[in-house]
């Protein structure tokens, strides 16, 4: 009996110890959960290394804690510089020599302007001598109207027929047909560069009239008509200009219908690209388009010569306008 009592006492002591250990574990778990909810635990790897000691035959397990390996620092690798890619068909207008005026261009402009001013001056002199101004005045108005019609017919012809290899008109055909793809280049052309071709044509056409004609009425018609035709490319350029950059007098003349307006000519650069060809005043555009004049001419040319105009084809890359792309200098 005496041997049993110590054993019972030992059992009760062990139970009390276990209860205390359980209570401590519960408290530790509760505290750990609260701590985890407030803090972010860093991951760590636990390595168990077994080592033997000379002083004891038993193996002692040593636990060491090692932080995760430090990864290499993040480095910023700059992207490859973005370069502007231009297609072979896209024209850069920055420092393009083909848009600059040469001395030859300026010489032809001087010749053309002189050739136009001569009949106007002679007509004015005739009016002062005869005191008959009605005939020359009416002739001048007719010349202005005819110039708009002539610009439309010429524009229609080189837009739809021929190519860069065509004799005599090849350069003009190539320029006008390419104008649909790069219409903004006309606003970048210098004055003499833009007009020298027409100035040369006016010089050779009007000069003989100046020599052999003395009638003030005829000279008035010739001077105004040839002058409007020669400057039609400048009127055309203004029709592509930005309103904020155009002179006030030009805007006033466009709004009054004296010069072809930006809105009217913009229709020429939209599908189906077969209308609004006139580029002096544009007064003929509605008449020619509503009467189907150009469509009739195209049918006659087709049945007579078997030639199809470009406007009959579906618009392709040659008609679709490309946006302006300019190179940016390194200094910027």
């Amino acid at each position: 009996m005496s041997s049993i009592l110590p054993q019972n006492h030992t059992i009760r002591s062990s139970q009390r110890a276990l209860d205390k250990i359980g209570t401590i574990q519960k408290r530790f778990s509760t505290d750990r959960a609260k701590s985890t909810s407030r803090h972010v635990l860093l991951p760590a790897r636990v390595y168990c290394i077994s080592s033997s000691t000379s002083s004891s035959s038993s193996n002692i397990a040593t636990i060491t804690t090692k932080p995760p390996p430090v990864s290499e620092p993040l480095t910023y690798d700059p992207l490859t510089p973005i370069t502007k890619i231009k297609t072979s068909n896209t024209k850069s207008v920055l420092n393009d020599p083909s848009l600059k005026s040469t001395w030859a261009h300026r010489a032809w402009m001087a010749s053309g302007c002189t050739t136009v001013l001569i009949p106007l001056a002679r007509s004015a002199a005739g009016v002062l001598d005869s005191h008959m101004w009605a005939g020359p005045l009416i002739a001048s108005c007719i010349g202005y109207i005819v110039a708009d019609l002539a610009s439309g017919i010429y524009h229609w012809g080189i837009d739809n027929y021929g190519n860069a290899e065509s004799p005599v008109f090849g350069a003009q055909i190539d320029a006008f047909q390419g104008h649909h793809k790069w219409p903004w280049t006309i606003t970048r052309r210098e004055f003499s560069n833009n007009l020298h071709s027409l100035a040369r044509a006016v010089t050779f056409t009007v000069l003989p009239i100046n020599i052999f004609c003395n009638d003030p009425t005829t000279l008035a018609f010739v001077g105004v008509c040839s002058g409007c035709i020669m400057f039609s490319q400048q009127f055309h350029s203004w029709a592509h200009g930005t309103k904020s950059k155009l002179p006030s007098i030009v805007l006033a003349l466009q709004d009054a219908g004296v010069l072809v307006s930006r809105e009217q000519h913009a229709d020429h650069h939209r599908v189906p690209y077969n209308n609004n060809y006139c580029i002096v005043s544009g007064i003929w555009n509605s008449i020619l388009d509503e009467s189907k004049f150009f469509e009739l001419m195209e049918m006659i040319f087709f049945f007579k010569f078997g030639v199809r105009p470009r406007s009959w084809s579906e618009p392709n890359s040659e008609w679709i306008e490309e946006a302006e792309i300019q190179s940016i200098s390194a200094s910027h």
Side-chain angles (χ1 to χ4, degrees), residues 97 104 228 241 252 264 300:
C228 289
Q264 188 181 70
I300 293 174

Side-chain angles (χ1 to χ4, degrees), residues 262-277:
R262 301 177 309 281
E263 294 79 7
Q264 188 181 70
H265 187 68
D267 291 336
H268 176 70
H269 288 269
R270 299 189 182 103
V271 178
Y273 308 103
N274 63 355
N275 52 50
N276 291 280
Y277 287 105

Side-chain angles (χ1 to χ4, degrees), residues 82 193 260 281:
I82 299 175
N193 179 291
V260 62
S281 63

Side-chain angles (χ1 to χ4, degrees), residues 77-137:
D77 184 14
L79 297 175
T80 303
I82 299 175
T83 56
K84 188 171 289 186
I85 300 174
K86 294 187 289 184
T87 63
S88 59
N89 288 332
T90 303
K91 295 182 177 179
S92 174
V93 299
L94 191 62
N95 298 323
D96 188 349
S98 67
L99 304 180
K100 305 295 183 181
S101 296
T102 65
W103 286 109
H105 296 162
R106 297 184 182 98
W108 280 117
M109 275 306 303
S111 174
C113 291
T114 302
T115 307
V116 168
L117 288 174
I118 289 174
L120 293 176
R122 293 180 63 194
S123 176
V127 169
L128 291 176
D129 291 338
S130 63
H131 301 285
M132 298 179 62
W133 52 267
L137 181 60

Side-chain angles (χ1 to χ4, degrees), residues 214-249:
N214 296 314
D215 179 54
T217 302
T218 303
L219 291 172
F221 171 85
V222 171
V224 172
C225 185
S226 61
C228 289
I229 289 175
M230 184 174 70
F231 285 99
S232 64
Q233 271 295 82
Q234 185 58 49
F235 306 154
H236 186 189
S237 175
W238 286 334
H240 283 280
T242 305
K243 186 175 182 179
S244 60
K245 296 180 180 180
L246 291 176
S248 299
I249 184 64

Side-chain angles (χ1 to χ4, degrees), residues 37-54:
S37 64
R38 292 193 301 267
H39 303 285
V40 177
L41 298 179
L42 296 176
R45 293 180 182 177
V46 178
Y47 298 88
C48 296
I49 302 175
S50 176
S51 63
S52 61
T53 61
S54 59

